[in-house]
Amino acid sequence: MAGLNPPQRIAVNHRNGPLLVLAGAGTGKTRVITYRIAKLISTGVPPDRILGVTFTNKAAQEMQERLHKLLGKRKPKGPKPQLSTFHSLCVRILRRHSTKLGYPEKFAIYAGGDQESLARTVLREIRVPETTLAPKQMLYFISNWKNRGLNYQQAQQDADTDAATLAAIGFRRYQTALKRLGAVDFDDLLLLTGQLFKKFPDARLEEANRFEQILIDEYQDTNRTQYDIVRALAAEHRNLCVVGDDDQSIYGWRGAEVEHILNFKRDWPDAETVRLVDNYRSTQAILEVANRLIEHNKLRHGKVLRSDRQGGPPPTFVQYPDEVKEAEGVVSAIQARIHHEHRQPRDFAVLFRTNEQTRVFETAFRKAKLPYVLIGGMSFFDRKEVQDILCYFRLLNDNPDDPSVLRILNRPPRGVGKKAVELLLDASLKSHQPVWDVVSQPDLRPAELGGAAERGLDTLLESVAEAKVALSQSRTLVQPILDYIEKIDYQSEIDRLYTEAEERDSRWNVVQQVFDALGNFERDNKNPTLGEFLDELLLGDRQVDDEKDKQLRQNAVFLMTIHASKGLEFPEVFLVGMEEGILPHHRSVGEDERMIDEERRLCYVAVTRAQDTLTMSMSLTRMKWGKARQRFPSRFVYELLGKTEHPNYEKSCQVGAE
């Protein structure tokens, strides 16, 4: 406890009842949560009666590792605290109660390609061409409605554009198809848990009674359904600790409601509030402008961050003639600091509001031969090989879903061509049987299937049956499933599609990563099952976190959006494109002040990533449809510099939609 400051100590020592910990940027939030859990255990709370919930698998894993180190030899043997994401928590709950809602116990979880495939089918059924509404666009609308707790009837009333109206029509078919397939998507995991608690009080009470202490991280990012789930689990014992910062609530576009943390005292009137304002990241000079900026948001918990690092150079604001000169100027400044101030490329981050801004900066970094890395990229599960392998894994579970079966019937080629797949799908629809039942029961197969397709299906069935027997007789998951993938000869699919040896090796390495994850899962769990592994892999997406960590370990300048930078810190930050219409974004400029407030919080997050120096910049002109258009400084620049009485401040606020 000696390493904690007084407010941190109060938060850690609080025993029972609701607690709100307002943790400003860089104030040691994760430290407080892990120390608090350790304190609860040391005062007699059984570890498995403690639930810690956060938003990413990486954050949950980091908490577990810190707790392990903190407890050391005093680490209790037996059950551990349950530290997980909201989605992982909801999967565990639904596996115990899904039949009450009409879903099978072994429901499938759809993500990425599975969802797109189903959305594509729905759009075909309602005769909407993909040029009018793409599957990803429809899924974006549906996810947004689900995050706001709207069903398909309410979505039709909410739709305010032609695209949204078409998506609302598809929503009902999409949801009906999911349930028919015994599947849910990520948003359903939360929605169905919320529905379960409302419709079945006995199930809610059973789940609530599993815990006597609940801690929620990043509470400012909860959406309505997550908020309801938290209240339902904590209603009886009321030992709820929420940690977060309303000034860093930047996910309104995906359903997060900052009101949940703002109104915590209203929901839990006896709650104690602890403010963490001692910042251990940034210089006082940087915090002064950050505090000045965020004070312009009226609906917030009042707090002023203070640094344990006095002084530091004041943040600077630079104007460039155009976006090309801005990129060249930023790169030149970074080069100079590397050469003259003994900085490393990894000490610098260039932060953008939108992905579209990166192109000119990448060009400038290449021209200067300065190493850079663009943080983010394709999800692990968007890779073709991963989707294929996971579909093969699902065949080993009972009742594999139709999209998984259809995806791999002819991967690698086994004589089941496009016509044969259409015949199998027609037979499935006519007999009201899943595609896998049609495939695995010869009497259900269409007579006109053809000899090659019949033989291909029989070979596939034989491989699946052998793998199931091997799994039932094995103490390990990895070897029987590896033998199964080798017998199917999936590697021939990679060899067929890619001619370059380097590309083939890279693709096969992705398959290896799936098996590495399976091996790690076996090592970390007492009685591992394939179904549980599929749940964890989909929910955790650890490979995405691992890839980001790998990128951040490189000695290169980091280019990323402000959203991607949350939770990170860098010695020197360049915040570029500080113009009205970019930050704040033109879509946020209008009558709703809450949208501007969120953009201001986004700017605040960017500023508080900087440890030593902060440089902001803008372009006086920017190309649009081949013509140079005049740009105006962001209103946030004036607010940061304390110049809101400046004559151009009002002008900036009026031209946001430019």
Side-chain angles (χ1 to χ4, degrees), residues 580-592:
E580 284 292 308
I582 294 181
L583 184 66
H585 196 275
H586 67 83
R587 284 198 302 266
S588 303
V589 178
E591 295 177 10
D592 192 345

Side-chain angles (χ1 to χ4, degrees), residues 479-520:
Q479 196 55 53
I481 299 177
L482 186 55
D483 292 342
Y484 160 65
I485 295 299
E486 285 177 353
K487 178 160 188 181
I488 284 162
D489 193 17
Y490 183 76
Q491 192 162 8
S492 68
E493 171 76 354
I494 291 174
D495 293 341
R496 180 178 70 87
L497 292 175
Y498 308 104
T499 55
E500 297 290 329
E502 191 176 333
E503 177 79 351
R504 289 201 298 267
D505 289 345
S506 172
R507 300 276 175 171
W508 187 244
N509 185 52
V510 170
V511 176
Q512 178 195 310
Q513 286 181 52
V514 178
F515 280 92
D516 290 345
L518 180 58
N520 289 332

Side-chain angles (χ1 to χ4, degrees), residues 36 61 87 113 174 240 247-248 320 323 345 376 400 405 439 466 487 497 516 526 533 587:
R36 179 168 167 76
Q61 203 173 344
H87 289 92
Y174 171 81
L240 173 64
D247 291 336
Q248 295 186 76
Y320 292 96
E323 68 266 42
V405 174
V439 168
E466 283 181 11
K487 178 160 188 181
L497 292 175
D516 290 345
K526 266 190 175 178
F533 167 72
R587 284 198 302 266

Side-chain angles (χ1 to χ4, degrees), residues 47 63 125 189 400 412 427 479 502 522 585 627:
M63 274 187 216
E125 288 174 357
L189 294 172
Q479 196 55 53
E502 191 176 333
E522 274 202 284
H585 196 275
K627 291 184 179 178

Side-chain angles (χ1 to χ4, degrees), residues 601-617:
R601 291 194 292 268
L602 193 58
C603 185
Y604 175 80
V605 165
V607 168
T608 53
R609 298 313 92 196
Q611 294 170 296
D612 303 330
T613 67
L614 170 67
T615 305
M616 300 170 285
S617 63

